[in-house]
Amino acid sequence: MLFNSLDFLVFFPTVAALYFLLPYRLRWVLLLIASYTFYMFWRVDYAIILVISTLIDYVCSRMMDRYAESERAKRKPWLWLSLLSNLGILFTFKYYNFFNEAAADLARLLDVPYAAPAFELLLPMGISFYTFQTMSYTIDVYYGRIKAEKHLGIFALFVTFFPQLVAGPIERAGNLLGQLKEKHDFNYQNAANGLKLMAWGLFKKIVIADRLAVMVNHVYNNPTDYEGIPLIIGTVFFAFQIYCDFSGYSDIAIGAAQVMGFRLMENFRRPYFSKSIREFWARWHISLSTWFRDYLYIPLGGNRVVKWRWYYNLFIVFLVSGIWHGANWTFVVWGALHGFYLVFAELTKRRRNAAVDALGLAGRPQTYKVAQIGTTFALVCLAWVFFRANTIGDAWYITTHLFSGLAETAQAIVTNEDGARGNLLYLGQSREIFTIGLLAILVLMLVELAQRSGSLRLAISSYPFPVRVAAYNILIASILLFGSFSESEFIYFQF
Amino acid sequence: MKKLFFFRGFIVIATTFIFYSLVSFLYLGVLPTESNSFRNWIPNLLNTAGGYGYTLLRLNEAEKATDVDMLFIGSSQVNRGFDVRIFEKNGLEAFNLGTSAQTLFNSYYLLKEYLPTLKPEYVVLDLYWGVAKNDGIEPAIDILSNSDLDQSTLQMVLDLENGTVYNSLFAAYITRLQTPLHEIRQQKFEEFRYVSGGYTESLSTQNELDKEELADIEYQKATIHDLQLAYLQKIIRLCKSHNKKLIFVMTPVTKEYKRKVVNYSSYTSTIARIARENNIPYFDYNERKELSLISSTDFSDMNHLSQSGAEKFDKLFISDLKSSGILNHSLTIQPKQDKQPYAPL
């Protein structure tokens, strides 16, 4: 079920109402049924994967719990069983064909016979998210950070909790599992704040992301038809499309959980105001970044190793992050590019600081800050080219033509000969739709600027009720009047 | 706490509805209608009444028409392909219910509404792949903007479950508060003429399609949206329940356009299989060499017939109906009175 569907508009209030009406002891049953129903709206048969994953991790964690924390050797086989099962499912559905094709290409290159069959498997929605969530659980049980959950129903709910099942935030057992057993009474502030966050998330998804998507697709589905300005606009629009698409989903997920009294972790913290790539990753998809930090980067040694090894660790983590996002070379390059940015930033730290001093930017902190934010955004956008492009060839064409033909495309836009403006500036849409897209981005940026000094939801709460109502009226009416209602899935569902 | 929450929630919903209605009314009812530039700023308040495709005239006329022999239904391929005058000359009273981008989903609701009054003996359904892959939103807005908002139209809107269509339904209500449907004037288009009975005659000059344009056609894959496949079955059942003879057709497109459909044979095989399973005749005019249509003169664009193309196509279709024994009853030519479009042009 999609958060931006009419089904969810009926589903969620029903579940939330029943949640508070039912006796406490039955609430987990309701949420478990609701979560499986939510998932099975997409595909009924694929729910079996959720069941298998749940049972394996439940059994493995319970078996690990039978041994004392010091008996790691006895715990280890169960950890491996859990990890291999989860990664095996993930590999089969998501990566098999990718690696199979890569192996076939390599075999062709080396003139070696190779004939592994390809499988036409539909990628289970949200598989990377719930797999990572359960893997973190078994790893935490293994290290004795948490005790294994004895209640199978509660554990199953931890794996499938519908607000964050298909696109995160990737929750840790330490945060969510306990909450699933707590008694949540109806709370006015929680319900009101949750609904506000859901409405804002919907605005980001329907009004910004989906409106921009049409223009982005226009360029990215036929990139070789363009050079210069349309490629730049398309790429910048994609940066906002993916941000609003994914953070919009997270907002709805966090808001929906909050209505029922659950606190999910923050997933985005105004990432496009980051002053460095390192800061960007502390603000973007936080639940995944911290997952990689805790379960890959630190086990690899983190930064407590010799320098070359630290750079290697950084690079590997981002390479794996790229592969996590999708079984395609474009994602691999996207991850590698971010790894390169971080290593390069460390390698050039001194020289960059010297350059800042030489340019006198240190004495002008505001200018310096704007320059940092601008540079970071440009680097992130450059990497997004690889994330969005359909093929590596397309991505290469776009990166090498972003700044070519600028004068020609600018002239064509100004003169508007043969209606060129519609194609090159408005990216196949009308002037009005293009302007609505721009205005929506402006609204987003203004809201995020306002959020720097604290929660905007809290600030709104301090105004008199009629003022608040007017703000809600404008927000909801904007979604209705300016939203794009083609039932588009969230981009991160494919990961 | 709960009472306060629900009370305030109700206030927010009620005031949002009032605010939304006010904005819609100001936008649709007060802004100058002549200025189209104003009309594009709220993308979800769509109203295409009297616009492109002559749906207003067609549906108004369909309301009044009764007892036809043959009903054509489908997208613009239909309303620009089946010239009712040619069928009339051959003794067949016909009505053309083709509307722009009409999908099988939309066709179903139009058939539900008009089968009881038009009472056709034959329903000719076009299965052009270009619309079979769509969700039916755009044609739904076209139909609801140009027709009475009766039960069948409302059912179509509800079944689409789409926010833009709901908004447009509201827009249609708001617009009609100011101008009732029968007072809305149909816009004129230089390149097409509406012919009583639902046909759209192409007036474009010949040789409009040059080689470059035809060479630029992109490769495409023909697919049927799951929703459309489901509604095809519903149409079959509906026609059976009304005891109407359903005929599947694939109206012709330029050979250059058809060549770019990478899986044409598998698409047409799927249609043929469904037809076979339901004992429905199926004619694919993209596979008929004897039709010998010339891309530059028999088409007004790459996938719509020009008048000369429509004449050739209709004659072959009638001949096919006769030779295959589908037209097995004697039909006498009923001289029709000079029909005037319902709304003034």
Side-chain angles (χ1 to χ4, degrees):
Chain A
M1 192 184 300
L2 299 172
F3 281 166
N4 56 334
S5 68
L6 291 169
D7 295 327
F8 189 73
L9 202 64
V10 176
F11 173 85
F12 178 67
T14 309
V15 172
L18 284 173
Y19 180 78
F20 290 114
L21 287 172
L22 281 177
Y24 162 68
R25 64 192 160 80
L26 293 178
R27 287 181 181 178
W28 71 266
V29 181
L30 167 77
L31 289 181
L32 189 60
I33 293 170
S35 297
Y36 270 92
T37 308
F38 179 86
Y39 195 78
M40 288 193 295
F41 254 73
W42 170 68
R43 275 282 290 254
V44 175
D45 49 351
Y46 272 39
I48 193 73
I49 301 169
L50 280 174
V51 175
I52 292 169
S53 183
T54 301
L55 289 175
I56 290 172
D57 290 321
Y58 177 77
V59 171
C60 289
S61 59
R62 289 301 307 276
M63 293 307 290
M64 281 192 274
D65 231 18
R66 288 172 62 179
Y67 304 105
E69 209 185 312
S70 55
E71 294 178 287
R72 288 224 173 130
K74 288 180 181 170
R75 288 181 163 209
K76 198 163 262 179
W78 297 104
L79 174 69
W80 278 111
L81 178 61
S82 166
L83 294 182
L84 289 176
S85 307
N86 281 307
L87 291 173
I89 293 170
L90 190 61
F91 181 85
T92 307
F93 283 96
K94 189 167 176 176
Y95 299 108
Y96 173 79
N97 282 343
F98 172 67
F99 284 108
N100 188 30
E101 276 171 30
D105 288 342
L106 187 67
R108 256 196 305 276
L109 202 69
L110 302 173
D111 205 16
V112 176
Y114 181 85
F119 297 117
E120 286 280 328
L121 291 172
L122 182 66
L123 182 67
M125 191 185 274
I127 189 168
S128 301
F129 290 89
Y130 64 74
T131 301
F132 267 44
Q133 182 156 313
T134 53
M135 275 168 45
S136 72
Y137 166 78
T138 45
I139 294 169
D140 285 351
V141 171
Y142 171 76
Y143 282 112
R145 292 174 195 143
I146 55 167
K147 297 291 282 180
E149 175 54 50
K150 290 178 184 168
H151 194 304
L152 177 60
I154 294 288
F155 178 70
L157 180 56
F158 165 71
V159 179
T160 59
F161 187 47
F162 77 86
Q164 44 89 239
L165 170 62
V166 291
I170 303 167
E171 279 295 336
R172 305 294 177 82
N175 179 42
L176 183 59
L177 206 46
Q179 290 188 62
L180 296 174
K181 290 187 268 189
E182 285 169 10
K183 188 180 178 187
H184 302 283
D185 289 324
F186 178 82
N187 179 290
Y188 179 93
Q189 277 310 326
N190 272 343
N193 282 334
L195 288 176
K196 279 182 231 170
L197 194 57
M198 290 175 81
W200 177 238
L202 265 182
F203 179 87
K204 284 204 271 188
K205 165 65 181 165
I206 295 177
V207 180
I208 308 179
D210 289 351
R211 282 265 164 243
L212 296 180
V214 187
M215 290 179 265
V216 172
N217 294 345
H218 183 78
V219 172
Y220 270 80
N221 288 343
N222 298 292
T224 50
D225 291 351
Y226 304 97
E227 58 178 358
I229 290 172
L231 293 180
I232 293 172
I233 298 172
T235 303
V236 172
F237 274 12
F238 178 67
F240 285 101
Q241 181 204 338
I242 192 163
Y243 171 52
C244 290
D245 191 282
F246 193 21
S247 71
Y249 184 93
S250 291
D251 286 347
I252 300 168
I254 295 166
Q258 191 178 5
V259 169
M260 295 182 287
F262 298 94
R263 297 171 308 280
L264 298 185
M265 71 181 292
E266 186 185 23
N267 218 12
F268 291 88
R269 200 182 302 131
R270 303 179 301 286
Y272 290 147
F273 288 101
S274 303
K275 296 192 291 295
S276 66
I277 295 294
R278 176 180 285 275
E279 190 185 343
F280 174 79
W281 279 104
R283 291 159 167 259
W284 178 275
H285 202 176
I286 299 166
S287 64
L288 181 71
S289 307
T290 51
W291 197 101
F292 276 120
R293 181 196 66 199
D294 296 343
Y295 299 104
L296 185 61
Y297 178 66
I298 291 173
L300 282 172
N303 61 354
R304 295 178 179 179
V305 285
V306 290
K307 274 206 167 165
W308 72 263
R309 176 67 201 214
W310 175 33
Y311 300 149
Y312 171 81
N313 290 347
L314 276 175
F315 190 77
I316 284 294
V317 166
F318 279 92
L319 199 64
V320 175
S321 169
I323 295 170
W324 178 89
H325 280 84
N328 195 318
W329 288 110
T330 51
F331 294 114
V332 176
V333 175
W334 172 77
L337 206 49
H338 272 278
F340 169 76
Y341 286 161
L342 284 164
V343 173
F344 186 78
E346 290 302 328
L347 285 169
T348 59
K349 206 172 186 175
R350 274 191 199 163
R351 286 185 186 176
R352 283 187 298 116
N353 286 340
V356 168
D357 289 337
L359 291 168
L361 285 170
R364 285 178 286 171
Q366 285 305 322
T367 311
Y368 183 37
K369 196 173 164 183
V370 169
Q372 282 179 303
I373 291 172
T375 309
T376 306
F377 182 71
L379 289 172
V380 169
C381 282
L382 187 66
W384 283 139
V385 170
F386 287 88
F387 195 95
R388 173 59 185 86
N390 295 331
T391 62
I392 283 284
D394 281 359
W396 181 249
Y397 174 86
I398 293 167
T399 47
T400 52
H401 289 79
L402 276 173
F403 299 106
S404 62
L406 280 177
E408 290 86 344
T409 46
Q411 194 184 2
I413 287 166
V414 172
T415 56
N416 196 23
E417 204 172 311
D418 296 331
R421 196 176 294 157
N423 188 32
L424 301 178
L425 181 64
Y426 306 145
L427 309 187
Q429 293 295 296
S430 65
R431 177 174 60 106
E432 292 81 3
I433 294 289
F434 176 80
T435 311
I436 287 167
L438 279 184
L439 289 174
I441 292 173
L442 184 68
V443 169
L444 173 81
M445 290 290 97
L446 290 174
V447 167
E448 299 216 334
L449 273 172
Q451 282 174 334
R452 286 194 311 171
S453 50
S455 165
L456 199 61
R457 282 186 291 162
L458 283 179
I460 289 172
S461 300
S462 64
Y463 285 98
F465 184 63
V467 178
R468 276 154 36 209
V469 169
Y472 307 148
N473 290 164
I474 291 168
L475 180 62
I476 300 168
S478 301
I479 294 170
L480 292 172
L481 296 170
F482 298 105
S484 172
F485 289 100
S486 55
E487 277 213 351
S488 62
E489 287 191 352
F490 289 82
I491 295 173
Y492 266 68
F493 276 14
Q494 64 188 289
F495 303 137
Chain B
M1 268 312 212
K2 277 183 193 168
K3 275 186 184 170
L4 181 68
F5 178 79
F6 284 112
F7 173 72
R8 288 190 168 179
F10 174 75
I11 296 286
V12 170
I13 291 168
T15 51
T16 300
F17 181 74
I18 293 166
F19 177 70
Y20 168 83
S21 306
L22 199 66
V23 170
S24 304
F25 186 76
L26 287 173
Y27 180 73
L28 294 162
V30 175
L31 286 179
T33 48
E34 290 76 20
S35 174
N36 276 331
S37 60
F38 280 117
R39 285 281 168 262
N40 299 323
W41 280 103
I42 299 185
N44 287 337
L45 286 182
L46 296 169
N47 191 300
T48 60
Y52 194 78
Y54 295 114
T55 309
L56 177 70
L57 296 182
R58 185 172 295 109
L59 295 184
N60 278 331
E61 210 176 6
E63 292 284 338
K64 295 184 163 183
T66 52
D67 298 317
V68 298
D69 297 311
M70 198 163 262
L71 175 66
F72 305 107
I73 192 152
S75 61
S76 53
Q77 270 70 22
V78 169
N79 71 44
R80 287 158 71 178
F82 292 97
D83 186 344
V84 290
R85 295 169 299 190
I86 296 170
F87 288 85
E88 203 173 308
K89 279 180 194 161
N90 283 273
L92 290 159
E93 186 88 14
F95 196 89
N96 194 320
L97 256 184
T99 62
S100 297
Q102 186 187 121
T103 65
L104 295 163
F105 172 85
N106 313 106
S107 303
Y108 172 76
Y109 289 98
L110 285 174
L111 285 173
K112 243 181 120 176
E113 184 171 354
Y114 293 110
L115 275 185
T117 52
L118 290 173
K119 296 177 188 161
E121 191 159 339
Y122 304 95
V123 174
V124 179
L125 177 70
D126 179 59
L127 289 147
Y128 171 56
W129 65 90
V131 291
K133 65 185 176 194
N134 296 345
D135 49 17
I137 290 168
E138 183 192 329
I141 292 168
D142 182 36
I143 291 165
L144 75 89
S145 300
N146 289 291
S147 66
D148 289 328
L149 301 174
D150 51 24
Q151 198 188 344
S152 174
T153 310
L154 292 179
Q155 194 61 51
M156 177 181 72
V157 170
L158 287 174
D159 288 352
L160 254 181
E161 294 184 11
N162 179 273
T164 307
V165 182
Y166 290 162
N167 274 289
S168 299
L169 178 68
F170 193 74
Y173 275 119
I174 294 273
T175 311
R176 284 172 207 185
L177 285 177
Q178 194 191 30
T179 315
L181 188 66
H182 66 271
E183 286 180 19
I184 294 172
R185 295 180 73 83
Q186 172 67 57
Q187 285 178 44
K188 273 185 181 176
F189 299 97
E190 279 180 11
E191 65 268 45
F192 307 112
R193 177 168 60 208
Y194 181 76
V195 174
S196 183
Y199 178 62
T200 306
E201 183 181 342
S202 174
L203 301 174
S204 52
T205 53
Q206 291 180 344
N207 296 313
E208 272 197 354
L209 284 170
D210 56 33
K211 281 182 182 171
E212 199 179 321
E213 199 176 348
L214 290 165
D216 278 350
I217 301 167
E218 289 179 1
Y219 283 100
Q220 54 178 306
K221 198 174 176 185
T223 50
I224 309 184
H225 196 292
D226 287 345
L227 178 81
Q228 306 305 343
L229 208 50
Y231 272 84
L232 179 58
Q233 296 295 344
K234 288 182 93 163
I235 288 172
I236 293 168
R237 286 196 294 273
L238 182 72
C239 288
K240 271 185 188 162
S241 70
H242 281 80
N243 202 23
K244 306 298 175 198
K245 288 172 190 147
L246 188 58
I247 301 165
F248 287 174
V249 290
M250 194 76 82
T251 47
V253 298
T254 56
K255 54 186 181 297
E256 291 84 357
Y257 187 67
K258 186 225 155 189
R259 247 183 248 137
K260 294 293 173 85
V261 182
V262 291
N263 62 334
Y264 187 83
S265 59
S266 100
Y267 178 81
T268 196
S269 302
T270 305
I271 303 298
R273 180 181 52 76
I274 296 168
R276 216 170 29 250
E277 284 169 3
N278 292 281
N279 202 22
I280 295 166
Y282 172 43
F283 301 97
D284 180 354
Y285 289 96
N286 285 310
E287 302 279 283
R288 297 289 294 276
K289 283 183 182 146
E290 65 266 45
L291 192 51
S292 62
L293 294 168
I294 302 158
S295 297
S296 58
T297 55
D298 290 330
F299 290 89
S300 56
D301 57 32
M302 59 193 168
N303 54 352
H304 291 96
L305 288 161
S306 65
Q307 187 55 30
S308 64
E311 282 168 16
K312 286 183 186 175
F313 162 59
D314 291 346
K315 278 173 193 162
L316 182 62
F317 179 59
I318 292 166
S319 155
D320 283 344
L321 292 180
K322 286 176 179 169
S323 62
S324 59
I326 294 168
L327 289 180
N328 57 4
H329 70 309
S330 60
L331 290 156
T332 52
I333 299 174
Q334 300 289 326
K336 287 167 78 177
Q337 288 179 344
D338 192 21
K339 287 184 181 174
Q340 289 298 317
Y342 176 79
L345 277 168

